[in-house]
Amino acid sequence: MKQRNQMIISIIHMSGPYKRESQDFNKFPIRIGRIPEKCDICYPPTLTHVSRVHAEITKEGERFKLTDLNTKNGTFIKGKKITSHFIKSGDTISFAKKGPKISIHVTKKEISHLPERIEETHPPEDKIIIVINYKTYDFPLNRKPISIGQNASCNCQIEDNRLYDHHMQIKYVNDKIIITDLTGHNKISVNHKSLDENDEHFLEIDDLISLTSDGPFFQFHDGNQLIYESSLDQEKPQKKITEIVIPDQLPDDIVQKNLNRDLVKTIAVISIVFFILFLIIVIFNIKLE
């Protein structure tokens, strides 16, 4: 069967309801919005930052154009509002200033046949995609190892005081992506299990990599994506409700005190009543005299 090169756009959801999910497309246009019948990437109806049909991606030769469809909240690339823009691999797109973000990756793949539209499949695994703070790094596999750390000489520099200058190494061996702790102090853990010094770990989908005990973190997705998180999303703790317990029976000493107090009140009321009656009688007698 004759083979040809097929252009594929991989979309990684950076924020919003589909965060960390990915979709691949090889048919165009790709429309983004909130109407299922008209949109290929369809956000929930409640996500009103996004218009009903918000934007579309079209193919023009070997290039791809993103067009805003006259929306109220706009479309942004790297924080800059656009009406139309030729996108490239690594671009980050926001639908509305505070709306969901996606990252774009363009790949050529030699194929004999592809379905008309591929959705939520694994991206082509001839490279590793590392996304850090909405910036995307694409590294070919089968090449030299990739280093991550604070030092500017690292392939991926992360300015975070929790990290060492050269913190973690990523390499590709026997069709597997493996990571190595370079700190010498067992700082890295995978799924909450520490890596020994120079210990190599073969990554599996959904592995959680903690660069230190309190972050930052990477999540491994779809066989070739590492998504960076400065801290993990955690639910807000619920307020503790203090239960007030009313006992069925009060202690005897408390009961006796309450009885004594009630008796004193009763005697005081009776005394006031007798005093008032005494005054009335005295006044009445004075008038008779």
Side-chain angles (χ1 to χ4, degrees), residues 27-220:
K27 276 290 184 178
F28 303 89
I30 305 166
R31 290 191 176 90
I32 301 99
R34 294 186 287 120
I35 302 178
E37 296 80 10
K38 295 184 178 180
C39 297
D40 305 291
I41 300 175
C42 187
Y43 290 104
T46 54
L47 196 65
T48 53
H49 289 306
V50 179
S51 295
R52 289 159 62 83
V53 184
H54 193 104
E56 69 176 8
I57 299 171
T58 54
K59 188 173 183 290
E60 296 188 7
E62 296 291 303
R63 298 198 296 174
F64 299 93
K65 181 188 277 188
L66 171 70
T67 303
D68 179 86
L69 300 177
N70 299 316
T71 62
K72 177 182 176 181
N73 294 322
T75 302
F76 299 79
I77 293 183
K78 296 180 179 179
K80 184 179 179 181
K81 190 174 183 179
I82 60 100
T83 52
S84 65
H85 183 87
F86 283 102
I87 56 178
K88 60 183 183 298
S89 193
D91 277 348
T92 301
I93 302 167
S94 304
F95 303 110
K97 196 142 194 173
K98 296 183 179 180
K101 292 182 175 68
I102 63 171
S103 181
I104 295 288
H105 304 275
V106 181
T107 307
K108 282 185 179 180
K109 190 173 184 182
E110 195 176 71
I111 52 133
S112 55
H113 173 72
L114 273 178
E116 286 192 354
R117 195 173 297 276
I118 314 168
E119 296 197 15
E120 297 190 18
T121 59
H122 300 328
E125 297 188 2
D126 56 355
K127 63 184 176 181
I128 184 168
I129 300 168
I130 302 177
V131 184
I132 301 173
N133 296 333
Y134 304 118
K135 184 176 180 180
T136 303
Y137 301 85
D138 292 356
F139 295 102
L141 298 175
N142 294 323
R143 296 220 178 160
K144 63 180 183 180
I146 301 160
S147 59
I148 294 176
Q150 282 210 79
N151 196 284
S153 65
C154 291
N155 302 104
C156 290
Q157 183 186 15
I158 303 176
E159 295 180 359
D160 190 316
N161 292 330
R162 292 172 290 183
L163 302 185
Y164 285 66
D165 283 348
H166 296 85
H167 200 95
M168 184 173 74
Q169 182 185 82
I170 304 170
K171 59 185 178 181
Y172 189 69
V173 177
N174 297 328
D175 297 328
K176 292 283 188 179
I177 296 174
I178 66 176
I179 61 170
T180 306
D181 188 338
L182 300 179
T183 66
H185 296 281
N186 301 346
K187 291 291 183 179
I188 296 176
S189 64
V190 179
N191 302 325
H192 309 292
K193 183 180 179 181
S194 295
L195 295 184
D196 294 331
E197 186 177 356
N198 297 321
D199 186 20
E200 295 182 339
H201 176 81
F202 289 83
L203 289 179
E204 297 180 0
I205 292 175
D206 292 332
D207 272 353
L208 177 66
I209 305 162
S210 306
L211 299 186
T212 72
S213 59
D214 62 343
F217 306 89
F218 279 103
Q219 191 102 33
F220 187 58

Side-chain angles (χ1 to χ4, degrees), residues 19-30:
K19 185 176 180 180
R20 300 190 185 98
E21 293 183 17
S22 65
Q23 295 171 280
D24 290 354
F25 297 93
N26 72 315
K27 276 290 184 178
F28 303 89
I30 305 166

